[in-house]
Amino acid sequence: MRPLRPTLIAGLLLMAAGAAPARTEQANAPAWITLGTMGGPVPDPTRAQPANALVLGRDVYLVDVGDGAVEQLAKAHLQAMQVKAVFLSHLHFDHTGGLAALLGLRYQTNAPGPLAIYGPPGTRALVDGLVASMRPAAAAGYGLPGAPVIDPASTVTVTELVDGGTATLGGFTVRAARNTHYSFAPGSAEDSRYQSLSLRFDLPGRSIVYTGDTGPSPAVEKLGRGADLLVSEMIDVPATMARIARLQPDMPAGQRAAMAEHLTRHHLTPLQVGEMAQAMNVKRVVLTHLVVADADPAAVDRYLADIHQSFAGPVTPAHDLERF
Ligand SMILES: [Zn+2]
Ligand SMILES: [Zn+2]
């Protein structure tokens, strides 16, 4: 018997596993699905790490790819095969940890490609490293002699975006603005090398701005002006520091102080989310990257009251797998 080609084998494996074709997305309007709403990087049983799916018809675009993003996609009845492109807001591991699985599993199932990956400076180095890590498994394939080997590098393309950068694909435009999640000294080597981005998606009939991780930022306010939906990060600094103290009681004092400074300067309090939403004049706000579990409704009420001091529109704290 002639050896089966890897593509065929992958198909047979899918059939054997009883994999049904991905459920067709019925809604025509572009949808935003919060796959993971936890503020990383500490894993949590109630919320997955930061990841989102932008769904246009059958096409899926991932916006940040935290650990477990492929699993979360499956729970949303979407398949890694449907993913056309990935957008990374910044390179913290809680936002990128699921990318290795996405690339490897797509490779192993011969997903149609290449997968387009957009992200800030440093994305190319990240993806090059992931591609290198795929080579041994790619060379071994399904263990059949003489089977052709596809270079994993051919299954991805990388486009690095900087402040003001745009890309047009799939019938929509994405625009990037440098935000304040990093505060390196202006003009320093780090400042010129690294950027954290907020992203605006101008879609058919709908505009969505995603803050990624950021502190207050006039550039982000400008980016989001007039958007239909603002998907904003939000932090509760005292609750987050309490969680860190509980989980890492032995953290050295210097490290703890640096963490407090990072959380305070590089993220948004509920009051700041409200001010930003009001300045943007958005129609609706969805909160994500939350660090407290849902368990405390009093805390959620406090957040909403703080936001509504400035912003009168609807505000929804997101859960995993909610569709907006
Ligand atoms: Zn984050
Ligand atoms: Zn971050």
Side-chain angles (χ1 to χ4, degrees), residues 246-295:
R246 203 167 56 243
L247 294 169
Q248 295 171 272
D250 299 326
M251 183 184 275
Q255 216 174 314
R256 190 182 305 276
M259 185 54 64
E261 186 185 355
H262 165 66
L263 296 178
T264 305
R265 294 179 63 187
H266 301 161
H267 290 281
L268 293 165
T269 64
L271 281 171
Q272 290 166 337
V273 171
E275 287 161 7
M276 180 178 67
Q278 195 274 336
M280 287 177 174
N281 196 24
V282 292
K283 294 199 178 85
R284 180 180 184 185
V285 175
V286 165
L287 303 172
T288 190
H289 205 274
L290 306 167
V291 179
V292 283
D294 313 326

Side-chain angles (χ1 to χ4, degrees), residues 39-41 90 92-95 179-184 196 213-216 233 235-237 240-241 244 251 254-269 272 289 291:
H90 66 302
H92 280 156
F93 295 113
D94 49 317
H95 294 250
N179 62 39
T180 58
H181 190 48
Y182 303 148
S183 54
F184 297 118
S196 172
D213 289 7
T214 186
E233 74 126 90
I235 194 153
D236 177 337
V237 176
T240 307
M241 288 307 294
I244 290 169
M251 183 184 275
Q255 216 174 314
R256 190 182 305 276
M259 185 54 64
E261 186 185 355
H262 165 66
L263 296 178
T264 305
R265 294 179 63 187
H266 301 161
H267 290 281
L268 293 165
T269 64
Q272 290 166 337
H289 205 274
V291 179

Side-chain angles (χ1 to χ4, degrees), residues 6-68:
T7 44
L8 182 56
I9 295 170
L12 292 173
L13 286 174
L14 280 173
M15 279 159 49
R23 199 162 77 186
T24 306
E25 285 297 326
Q26 298 298 330
N28 289 325
W32 180 279
I33 299 175
T34 48
L35 297 176
T37 56
M38 189 69 195
V42 181
D44 180 82
T46 65
R47 293 179 183 274
Q49 297 273 302
N52 304 273
L54 188 54
V55 183
L56 284 91
R58 277 192 55 77
D59 294 342
V60 176
Y61 300 85
L62 286 177
V63 186
D64 283 335
V65 198
D67 186 28

